[in-house]
Amino acid sequence: MTGLRRVGLGAVIIGTLAQGIAYLLTLRGEAPQVAAWLMVAGIAAALAGTAWLGPASPHGSRWRVVGGLSILVVLLVGFGAALLLPGGATEPLWLGLPRRAAILLLGIGIFPVLLVPTAYALDFDATDLDDAGLAALRARAASARGSAE
């Protein structure tokens, strides 16, 4: 297992545990602020870890690292800002939306949709299969088909 895959798996595990603890705290009615921040950290860690695990490549690439880190930062900053901003009926509107909703929809929803595919497109040459990798994959598939019969 490569270093980036190990980090990605660790981030997914830690993020999932943080989300589980946040749910438990919420169900028990304890520490709502702690539960909210655990959920923010857990979601960010799990999604960044998934991005690092995504492409099946034996070697890491800086663009895969950038994609995962950008997800982590955007989610932490976006959800954190939404938690920290005061709410209320007199809240100013951003692009016709309350500030919290604008941050969530535009910052967390649209920004990663533009950034992450770009990072993976820049990483494509490092993660695609060459002729030797394709031949090895076909040999493994034929072996698996033979053992399944």
Side-chain angles (χ1 to χ4, degrees), residues 22-129:
Y23 276 117
L24 287 174
L25 288 173
T26 302
L27 288 173
R28 293 183 61 164
E30 299 174 3
Q33 285 295 92
V34 173
W37 285 104
L38 274 174
M39 186 59 79
V40 166
I43 290 170
L47 288 177
T50 303
W52 289 323
L53 288 173
S57 171
H59 48 77
S61 170
R62 68 172 186 234
W63 295 112
R64 190 171 358 154
V65 173
V66 167
L69 284 176
S70 65
I71 291 171
L72 183 69
V73 168
V74 166
L75 290 176
L76 285 175
V77 169
F79 282 132
L83 280 176
L84 292 173
L85 282 173
T90 60
E91 181 178 23
L93 300 178
W94 290 358
L95 300 174
L97 296 167
R99 288 184 300 181
R100 288 180 176 187
I103 290 170
L104 292 177
L105 291 174
L106 302 174
I108 294 173
I110 293 177
F111 181 68
V113 168
L114 301 174
L115 184 66
V116 174
T118 303
Y120 281 119
L122 294 170
D123 190 32
F124 182 76
D125 287 336
T127 58
D128 67 337
L129 287 174

Side-chain angles (χ1 to χ4, degrees), residues 5-6 14 17 23 46 48 55 69 78 80 86 112 114 119 125 133 135-137 145:
R5 287 187 162 262
R6 194 170 291 126
I14 290 170
L17 287 174
Y23 276 117
L69 284 176
L114 301 174
D125 287 336
L137 179 63
R145 272 192 302 255

